[in-house]
Amino acid sequence: MKQCKGQYDYPMEATLELIGGKWKALLLWHLVHGTLRFHQLRNLVPQATAKMLTQQLRDLERDGLIDRKVYPVVPPKVEYSLSEFGKTLIPLLEVMHDWGKEYLQKNEIQ
């Protein structure tokens, strides 16, 4: 697991450092529902380029939030899942999801 870069004035800074990437929270949200392969994540987050998706997944793995399992087959099979540490974010992700849903409904955004 990654060590904190330094001291923080607020706990929120540490949280945002870990999940604040453009697609990180969304990737974590999709992994709440189970293990997924790269192409499945790519289909769920089509706005992210393959390069960006790869980088965000690497960051999440480095920070101990997801587990990456590589199968020794050709072509390579790689699966991603929430780590035990990552599962501690589920309540936060659920609140973020519910807040976003309410916001979209309130503002009549589809």
Side-chain angles (χ1 to χ4, degrees), residues 70-98:
V70 180
Y71 295 88
V73 295
V74 177
K77 177 181 173 183
V78 181
E79 292 181 339
Y80 297 91
S81 59
L82 287 181
S83 66
E84 288 305 311
F85 178 52
K87 290 176 183 175
T88 65
L89 287 171
I90 292 174
L92 173 64
L93 295 168
E94 288 173 339
V95 168
M96 290 172 66
H97 171 268
D98 293 346

Side-chain angles (χ1 to χ4, degrees), residues 2 4-5 8 10-25 28 56 59-60 62-63 65 85 89 92-93 96:
K2 176 178 132 182
C4 291
K5 291 182 180 178
Y8 299 100
Y10 303 99
M12 181 66 78
E13 291 176 275
T15 304
L16 290 174
E17 184 176 319
L18 293 174
I19 67 167
K22 185 167 185 177
W23 305 109
K24 288 180 183 180
L28 290 166
Q56 299 277 281
D59 290 349
L60 291 168
R62 179 198 65 215
D63 295 338
L65 296 172
F85 178 52
L89 287 171
L92 173 64
L93 295 168
M96 290 172 66

Side-chain angles (χ1 to χ4, degrees), residues 17-83:
E17 184 176 319
L18 293 174
I19 67 167
K22 185 167 185 177
W23 305 109
K24 288 180 183 180
L26 187 55
L27 292 169
L28 290 166
W29 176 249
H30 288 304
L31 291 172
V32 164
H33 305 14
T35 299
L36 295 169
R37 294 181 64 186
F38 182 86
H39 76 277
Q40 292 172 305
L41 289 166
R42 183 84 198 273
N43 289 337
L44 290 167
V45 188
Q47 313 91 316
T49 65
K51 180 181 177 181
M52 178 59 72
L53 189 62
T54 298
Q55 184 59 52
Q56 299 277 281
L57 289 166
R58 284 182 184 157
D59 290 349
L60 291 168
E61 181 186 12
R62 179 198 65 215
D63 295 338
L65 296 172
I66 64 170
D67 292 323
R68 179 177 181 260
K69 184 173 182 179
V70 180
Y71 295 88
V73 295
V74 177
K77 177 181 173 183
V78 181
E79 292 181 339
Y80 297 91
S81 59
L82 287 181
S83 66

